[in-house]
Amino acid sequence: MLKPSSFVKWLFSRPDRPLTVGEIVGWWEMRRLAFNLVFFGYGLICFIVFLAALSSSGHLAPGEDAVEPLAIPFTVLASNVLYTLGWIVETIARVVFRTLTPRLGPVLFGFGLGFSMLVLSVPATIWTAVRLLQLAGVMA
């Protein structure tokens, strides 16, 4: 079984040599499934926290949806479009600036994953804060 530390090491590993355009695209695409699994797992946790906080806050009327049904597939599609921009940006940057460090790909990947997780956290964070303020008696 793959250890979490080995998974993270693989996720951010890159040869210390210049890569061809095909190798850059291949590196990114080899990690797309892993990105989506991390994105899905973290998104599921955030969604559960969001639903729990919103449902217990009293702001959701009976029969009202907690989320727009099309928001979830749109989020998945948007994250994959932005993921593809990662290898597009890296490829263009490497053509324009030939002396870039081989670490550019993993850095872009890390920023993209971090940004995605930040965006997923927003609704859960807001509604958890609302609920905590309610429980503290600061907010109705």
Side-chain angles (χ1 to χ4, degrees):
M1 183 163 167
L2 186 64
K3 294 180 193 176
S5 60
S6 299
F7 174 71
V8 171
K9 185 177 179 180
W10 170 79
L11 208 54
F12 292 96
S13 67
R14 192 70 172 277
D16 272 343
R17 62 174 175 75
L19 301 179
T20 66
V21 170
E23 289 173 323
I24 291 169
V25 173
W27 183 89
W28 281 87
E29 291 306 320
M30 290 276 300
R31 284 150 180 81
R32 185 180 294 271
L33 178 60
F35 171 86
N36 279 301
L37 290 173
V38 170
F39 184 83
F40 174 77
Y42 187 73
L44 185 60
I45 291 167
C46 289
F47 189 65
I48 290 168
V49 169
F50 162 75
L51 285 179
L54 177 60
S55 298
S56 65
S57 72
H59 283 85
L60 190 62
E64 189 177 25
D65 290 336
V67 67
E68 169 61 40
L70 293 177
I72 294 171
F74 174 78
T75 302
V76 173
L77 178 65
S79 72
N80 276 277
V81 167
L82 292 174
Y83 184 88
T84 302
L85 282 176
W87 63 255
I88 291 171
V89 167
E90 181 181 3
T91 301
I92 292 169
R94 291 207 179 281
V95 168
V96 174
F97 306 104
R98 297 195 181 275
T99 59
L100 287 173
T101 174
R103 297 286 314 144
L104 177 64
V107 168
L108 288 173
F109 180 85
F111 279 131
L113 184 59
F115 178 74
S116 297
M117 294 174 93
L118 178 68
V119 169
L120 287 174
S121 300
V122 170
T125 302
I126 290 171
W127 282 102
T128 298
V130 166
R131 188 65 185 121
L132 290 173
L133 289 171
Q134 286 177 327
L135 292 171
V138 177
M139 190 174 186

